[in-house]
Amino acid sequence: MATAPPSTYSAVTLNINGEKHSLTVDHRTTLLDALRERLDMTGTKKGCDQGQCGACTVLIDKRRAVSCLQLAVAAEGREITTIEGVAEGDQLHAVQQAFLDLDGYQCGYCTPGQICSAVAVIEEHAAGWPSAATDDVRPEAGPPPLTPDEIRERMSGNLCRCGAYVSIVQAVARAAEADAAARAAQAQQGTEHEGAAA
């Protein structure tokens, strides 16, 4: 007696922006299509659908990923952040604010992917990750200066057909400065707290 072929569908629970979403998806469904078509999270954009343009960039476990090449079933159990989850309530993320202040967008179609990518770029840089533009890649050298060349190289996976690159680089630089200042203030608070406790 022939056995039935295995189902090509699975029930998955996706942790998106701190909320769990349960759905049944075809194994071939991309995370991008699950977000847009099944969960109505349309902030993540479909551009080339081939992993080339970066419009669909999201954060998976705080690292950037093009969601058009990520299967939804492979994202189960991982922490997914889309553009809808970058802000803290009504408080914009520093990257979002910098994009607004410095006109880091024109038509806005690529902007959600640009912002998600920039958030990860700032984290990667702060952690000391080198890029192809980094002169000294030795770990003891620490994070390289976040020059315009560094930013351009690190953001090179995100295309902007309107050509807002100058403003995007400026926005990432400003957000990185704000992030560095926040980290320094947090470290100072920690040092003061430890001194008071002693």
Side-chain angles (χ1 to χ4, degrees), residues 43 45-47 55 99-100 103-115 159-165 167-168:
K45 303 301 185 216
K46 182 178 279 200
F99 267 69
L100 279 173
D103 295 327
Y105 55 89
Q106 286 186 36
C107 78
Y109 196 83
C110 73
T111 305
Q114 298 274 4
I115 288 172
L159 304 180
C160 172
R161 292 188 67 178
C162 298
Y165 295 115
S167 296
I168 290 168

Side-chain angles (χ1 to χ4, degrees), residues 26-45:
D26 185 300
H27 295 161
R28 298 165 294 179
T29 302
T30 64
L31 178 58
L32 173 61
D33 286 339
L35 290 169
R36 291 183 58 81
E37 307 299 330
R38 301 292 305 280
L39 298 172
D40 294 324
M41 294 185 184
T42 56
T44 305
K45 303 301 185 216

Side-chain angles (χ1 to χ4, degrees), residues 92-164:
L92 293 179
H93 189 282
V95 173
Q96 292 172 305
Q97 190 62 56
F99 267 69
L100 279 173
D101 294 344
L102 298 169
D103 295 327
Y105 55 89
Q106 286 186 36
C107 78
Y109 196 83
C110 73
T111 305
Q114 298 274 4
I115 288 172
C116 285
S117 193
V119 168
V121 160
I122 292 168
E123 289 294 324
E124 291 164 10
H125 176 260
W129 294 13
S131 79
T134 303
D135 289 328
D136 190 349
V137 298
R138 295 173 302 142
E140 60 269 19
L146 199 55
T147 62
D149 283 345
E150 276 284 345
I151 294 170
R152 281 191 287 272
E153 172 60 31
R154 291 170 187 263
M155 292 291 293
S156 63
N158 292 80
L159 304 180
C160 172
R161 292 188 67 178
C162 298

